[in-house]
Amino acid sequence: KAGVTQTPRYLIKTRGQQVTLSCSPISGHRSVSWYQQTPGQGLQFLFEYFSETQRNKGNFPGRFSGRQFSNSRSEMNVSTLELGDSALYLCASSFQGLSTDTQYFGPGTRLTVL
Amino acid sequence: AQSVTQLGSHVSVSEGALVLLRCNYSSSVPPYLFWYVQYPNQGLQLLLKYTSAATLVKGINGFEAEFKKSETSFHLTKPSAHMSDAAEYFCAVSWDSGGSNYKLTFGKGTLLTVNP
């Protein structure tokens, strides 16, 4: 069974630009969650989507948004990029969501904002 | 909001020695607890989880953790470290933020170094 895939793996953008990251979950998984990982703040929860609906979100500004498609693939968008948005963005998928399910993580997208 | 504290951002052990990685959580209700491992340039992989069943949980690669409610702890142990255990380890808590919508909160991580 194929694992969680994220594209692109690496991205370089400049301040003020916007970026879209993609996550393809494991087949059959309906929950996709997103995380930002930085050396200073560690792993922080961005949001979770389940069956095309955002079920929960973390404490990030509205510049961070996402969506989920009918095939469970998810995209995350960051508008008006800031230097502090440089991070590894991880997505994870599971059958039911974030309660007791094991989360299967992708390798991440490394975003650098110049 | 729930929080997770991992004591020691960096732990160094000798090969064959006991591994002990500490995790404390704050929760007013029984939590769901997880340990994940991250190898360089990879995503996270589940080691083990506690979901209100047995308090001693066994995971992959010889790791285990014990849920202690009185101490609000979920420390990760392995009797004998192997070079391949060198990685970053994250403790996480899953909690209901309202309406049965869960969030996952991670600790800051502990980098484990294994010396030959």
Side-chain angles (χ1 to χ4, degrees):
Chain A
K1 194 183 248 187
V4 177
T5 58
Q6 292 186 245
T7 57
R9 291 293 311 277
Y10 301 91
L11 209 47
I12 300 175
K13 293 286 188 179
T14 56
R15 278 182 301 173
Q17 288 187 307
Q18 75 166 21
V19 66
T20 299
L21 312 182
S22 180
C23 173
S24 293
I26 290 173
S27 177
H29 286 187
R30 293 188 294 168
S31 167
V32 174
S33 53
W34 288 88
Y35 305 84
Q36 181 194 67
Q37 186 176 23
T38 60
Q41 298 299 318
L43 273 158
Q44 293 185 283
F45 172 76
L46 279 155
F47 29 66
E48 186 216 1
Y49 285 87
F50 184 85
S51 294
E52 302 179 65
T53 300
Q54 186 182 86
R55 202 152 62 168
N56 217 331
K57 61 181 295 186
N59 298 322
F60 279 82
R63 300 186 297 107
F64 291 82
S65 63
R67 60 178 176 169
Q68 187 180 34
F69 301 95
S70 58
N71 62 358
S72 292
R73 188 178 70 85
S74 177
E75 288 182 348
M76 189 191 89
N77 184 274
V78 187
S79 62
T80 319
L81 284 166
E82 301 176 0
L83 294 179
D85 297 334
S86 293
L88 180 67
Y89 290 88
L90 294 164
C91 78
S93 75
S94 67
F95 283 111
Q96 296 292 337
L98 298 177
S99 56
T100 59
D101 270 15
T102 296
Q103 301 303 308
Y104 293 87
F105 284 81
T109 294
R110 171 87 49 195
L111 172 64
T112 302
V113 182
L114 303 176
Chain B
Q2 306 302 324
S3 65
V4 176
T5 302
Q6 290 185 240
L7 294 174
S9 59
H10 190 189
V11 170
S12 183
V13 300
S14 299
E15 192 173 19
L18 171 71
V19 175
L20 170 60
L21 304 182
R22 300 178 187 274
C23 172
N24 289 88
Y25 65 92
S26 71
S27 178
S28 57
V29 296
Y32 301 128
L33 295 159
F34 306 81
W35 275 100
Y36 283 88
V37 61
Q38 186 177 33
Y39 297 101
N41 300 314
Q42 294 186 28
L44 279 71
Q45 178 185 5
L46 181 74
L47 280 176
L48 48 81
K49 62 181 176 180
Y50 167 77
T51 58
S52 308
T55 56
L56 182 61
V57 181
K58 294 186 184 297
I60 62 171
N61 301 338
F63 284 93
E64 63 181 38
E66 186 173 8
F67 171 70
K68 291 187 176 181
K69 184 178 178 181
S70 61
E71 299 177 8
T72 60
S73 69
F74 190 57
H75 301 331
L76 181 71
T77 61
K78 181 174 180 177
S80 177
H82 192 270
M83 296 295 289
S84 61
D85 295 327
E88 190 157 21
Y89 292 79
F90 294 91
C91 182
V93 60
S94 170
W95 52 285
D96 186 350
S97 63
S100 295
N101 292 318
Y102 284 79
K103 291 185 179 182
L104 196 58
T105 297
F106 286 87
K108 295 286 190 185
T110 297
L111 183 64
L112 177 66
T113 302
V114 182
N115 303 307

